[in-house]
């Protein structure tokens, strides 16, 4: 039952793989300020000492650095950033533990697993809806990562892992504490988001939920703590919502967020940024489109201290990443409808960045505007209004914007 795992953890090949993974993933430093660019040299100097402490169970992790990230719907997501040395050791553990636990996990779990993705989860959900299960229990677990019960988690890991050194090290990472404003606070529950090991630990914890849903014969998709259950009627969905809410509280000490969870139709609820229409086609959820619009407004603010090329490159990087995810959508009308709106924001941004009448006049001339259209440079109308007018649409036409690399979503849809 995997009683000599620590020797595998500290093997030279595993240590090298983990080091390469941490360096390539980059990321911020922990409480000691060491960056990933310093990690390799540090490991070379101290490897024998670190290895000996790991083998004898004497390695003591440092507290994680608390970082707060704002959520789109309000509130904050709490991250715990380990030191880069602890990230490397967690990665070494992950390299050994993941192949052991991966075959034991449910086929209905898609998050943070090799060869699985959010797209696969959405496509599985589509299959349920197309099969007639057009009611969904959309469950949101309240503060999941912050409320994982350490004893329950360690018990589940201990059912498979017998090496007490590995179990002890995982337990010490759970209890390493958090440093906030120079003060270390103890952690008696939760798994800090930010370390390489956290996604695997969360999947081990929620595998019990997967097995319970399978035991009941339910159709579901889970991606990390985002779980949707598909049923054939509103009555059945309501019963499942109540019974699973109680089961989570009794068995895993987790609470369902009643404000964010609901029973509804797949086209009324979102799953991983998507929704499913009445025909079972995959569409981008309205909230995801609103989030996209907010990002457009942010990226095309005129007051940014960046060159036109930098504005363009930031935008294109974001747009390509956005489309790489949402290309799964089968309903493209909402995406192509954004074309004019996005270009209007780009034109508005450039108009404001030309600053004053002389600058705007010169810019229009450089872009080939002649005659009466040049009077627009003297206009006192607002930039958003002018961005829709003929002068700016002539100066910064669709062809001109494309030629200089200013893409819009529809350019990628047809590309």
């Amino acid at each position: 039952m995997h009683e000599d795992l620590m020797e595998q953890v500290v093997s030279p090949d595993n240590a090298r793989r983990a080091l390469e993974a941490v360096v390539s993933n980059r990321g911020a430093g922990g409480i000691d300020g060491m960056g990933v660019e310093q990690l390799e040299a540090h490991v070379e100097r101290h490897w024998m000492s670190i290895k000996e402490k790991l083998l004898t169970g004497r390695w003591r992790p440092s507290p994680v650095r608390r970082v707060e990230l704002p959520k789109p719907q309000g509130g904050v997501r709490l991250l715990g950033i380990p030191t880069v040395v602890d990230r490397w050791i967690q990665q070494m553990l992950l390299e050994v533990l993941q192949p052991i636990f991966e075959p034991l996990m449910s086929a209905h779990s898609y998050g943070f697993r090799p060869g699985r993705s959010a797209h696969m989860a959405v496509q599985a959900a589509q299959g349920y809806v197309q099969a007639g299960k057009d009611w969904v229990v959309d469950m949101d677990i309240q503060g999941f990562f912050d409320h994982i019960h350490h004893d329950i988690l360690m018990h589940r890991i201990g059912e498979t892992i017998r090496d007490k050194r590995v179990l002890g090290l995982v337990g010490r990472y759970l209890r390493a504490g958090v440093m906030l404003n120079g003060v270390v606070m103890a952690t008696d529950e939760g798994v800090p988001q930010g370390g390489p090991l956290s996604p695997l630990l969360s999947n081990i914890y929620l595998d019990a939920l997967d097995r319970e849903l399978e035991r009941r014969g339910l159709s579901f998709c889970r991606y990390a703590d985002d779980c949707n259950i598909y049923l054939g009627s509103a009555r059945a969905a309501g019963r499942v919502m109540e019974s699973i809410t109680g089961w989570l509280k009794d068995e895993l000490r987790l609470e369902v967020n009643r404000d964010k969870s609901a029973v509804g139709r797949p086209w009324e609820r979102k799953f991983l940024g998507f929704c499913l229409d009445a025909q079972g086609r995959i569409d981008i959820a309205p909230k995801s489109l609103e989030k996209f619009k907010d990002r457009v407004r942010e990226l095309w603010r005129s007051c940014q201290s960046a060159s036109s090329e930098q504005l363009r490159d930031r935008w294109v990087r974001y747009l390509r990443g956005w489309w790489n995810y949402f290309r799964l959508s089968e309903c493209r009308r909402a995406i192509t409808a954004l074309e004019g709106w996005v270009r209007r924001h780009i034109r508005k941004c450039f108009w404001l960045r030309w600053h004053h009448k002389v600058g705007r006049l010169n810019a229009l001339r450089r872009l080939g505007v002649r005659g009466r259209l040049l009077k627009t440079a003297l206009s006192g109308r607002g930039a958003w209004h002018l961005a829709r007018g003929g002068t700016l649409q002539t100066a910064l036409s669709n062809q001109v914007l494309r030629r200089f690399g200013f893409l819009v979503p529809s350019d990628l849809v047809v590309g």
Side-chain angles (χ1 to χ4, degrees), residues 90-245:
Q90 285 194 34
Q91 186 68 36
M92 286 197 289
L93 284 168
L94 179 67
E95 297 283 342
V96 171
L97 293 178
Q98 190 159 53
I100 295 171
F101 284 99
E102 177 61 25
L104 306 178
M105 291 185 177
S106 169
H108 303 282
S109 167
Y110 296 89
F112 309 120
R113 295 181 60 189
R116 290 176 162 255
S117 67
H119 284 183
M120 294 172 67
V122 174
Q123 288 169 327
Q126 179 184 39
Y128 296 139
V129 174
Q130 290 178 338
K133 297 184 177 184
D134 55 0
W135 286 88
V136 60
V137 176
D138 182 2
M139 302 189 70
D140 181 273
I141 299 175
Q142 182 82 43
F144 167 65
F145 281 91
D146 297 328
H147 293 104
I148 290 176
H149 194 278
H150 289 174
D151 290 345
I152 295 175
L153 174 59
M154 292 306 301
H155 174 74
R156 294 192 58 78
I157 298 172
E159 290 178 328
T160 302
I161 303 302
R162 288 290 185 263
D163 190 323
K164 292 183 179 179
R165 297 165 299 176
V166 170
L167 292 172
L169 183 58
V170 172
R172 286 193 294 277
Y173 273 115
L174 292 175
R175 299 186 301 273
V178 173
M179 180 172 283
L180 184 63
N181 298 323
V183 178
V184 177
M185 298 182 293
T187 47
D188 54 6
E189 66 174 354
V191 172
Q193 297 182 70
L197 198 56
S198 299
L200 174 63
L201 297 180
S202 69
N203 272 332
I204 293 171
Y205 199 78
L206 284 180
D207 188 65
L209 172 62
D210 299 339
R211 299 309 175 186
E212 176 64 17
L213 295 175
E214 289 174 349
R215 187 187 68 77
R216 299 185 186 195
L218 296 171
S219 300
F220 70 99
C221 304
R222 182 177 67 79
Y223 190 96
D225 58 329
D226 200 341
C227 183
N228 276 10
I229 308 168
Y230 295 87
L231 298 111
S233 71
R235 180 175 296 179
R239 286 198 303 266
V240 168
M241 170 66 89
E242 289 306 312
S243 62
I244 292 299
T245 296

Side-chain angles (χ1 to χ4, degrees), residues 68-78 140-144 146 193 225 257 260 291:
E68 296 183 352
L69 294 181
K71 292 182 179 181
Q73 284 79 38
V76 295
R77 175 174 288 108
L78 300 177
D140 181 273
I141 299 175
Q142 182 82 43
F144 167 65
D146 297 328
Q193 297 182 70
D225 58 329
N257 187 328
K260 295 183 179 180
K291 188 175 179 181

Side-chain angles (χ1 to χ4, degrees), residues 185-356:
M185 298 182 293
T187 47
D188 54 6
E189 66 174 354
V191 172
Q193 297 182 70
L197 198 56
S198 299
L200 174 63
L201 297 180
S202 69
N203 272 332
I204 293 171
Y205 199 78
L206 284 180
D207 188 65
L209 172 62
D210 299 339
R211 299 309 175 186
E212 176 64 17
L213 295 175
E214 289 174 349
R215 187 187 68 77
R216 299 185 186 195
L218 296 171
S219 300
F220 70 99
C221 304
R222 182 177 67 79
Y223 190 96
D225 58 329
D226 200 341
C227 183
N228 276 10
I229 308 168
Y230 295 87
L231 298 111
S233 71
R235 180 175 296 179
R239 286 198 303 266
V240 168
M241 170 66 89
E242 289 306 312
S243 62
I244 292 299
T245 296
W247 185 92
L248 281 168
K249 185 174 183 178
D250 294 339
E251 300 296 327
L252 295 181
R253 313 282 182 90
L254 296 173
E255 298 282 348
V256 169
N257 187 328
R258 295 282 187 173
D259 293 331
K260 295 183 179 180
S261 303
V263 169
R265 298 291 203 172
W267 49 91
E268 298 170 341
R269 309 298 299 176
K270 69 180 180 71
F271 182 48
L272 302 176
F274 295 93
C275 62
L276 296 159
D277 69 11
Q279 288 73 46
R281 294 176 301 178
I282 299 170
D283 199 357
I284 301 177
K287 286 186 178 179
S288 297
L289 289 173
E290 288 304 315
K291 188 175 179 181
F292 172 81
K293 289 182 175 181
D294 289 341
R295 189 66 173 142
V296 170
R297 295 182 184 102
E298 180 182 343
L299 287 169
W300 289 109
R301 286 183 296 111
S302 61
C303 58
Q304 299 177 73
S305 57
S307 68
S308 299
E309 291 77 13
Q310 288 171 325
L311 286 176
R312 177 200 61 202
D313 293 345
R314 289 176 193 170
W315 163 247
V316 171
R317 277 197 302 273
Y318 168 73
L319 184 62
R320 289 192 184 281
W322 183 86
W323 178 244
N324 187 52
Y325 184 75
F326 285 107
R327 72 182 189 278
L328 190 66
S329 173
E330 298 169 317
C331 307
R332 304 290 174 82
R333 185 176 301 174
I335 300 171
T336 55
L338 290 170
E339 176 175 347
W341 183 85
V342 170
R343 286 202 171 102
R344 189 174 175 184
H345 270 279
I346 295 173
R347 293 180 180 116
K348 170 193 169 184
C349 177
F350 278 106
W351 181 258
L352 291 172
R353 283 168 66 87
W354 292 335
H355 294 305
H356 48 72

Side-chain angles (χ1 to χ4, degrees), residues 347 350-351 354 360-370 373-374 376 386-387 389-404:
R347 293 180 180 116
F350 278 106
W351 181 258
W354 292 335
R360 290 166 180 168
L361 187 63
N362 290 336
L364 292 174
R365 283 172 173 159
R366 284 196 303 272
L367 290 165
V369 176
R370 298 291 184 267
L373 291 178
L374 289 172
T376 302
L386 294 172
T391 300
L392 277 183
Q393 289 198 2
T394 298
L396 297 172
S397 66
N398 295 353
Q399 292 76 16
V400 167
L401 292 176
R402 281 197 183 99
R403 186 167 71 246
F404 287 102

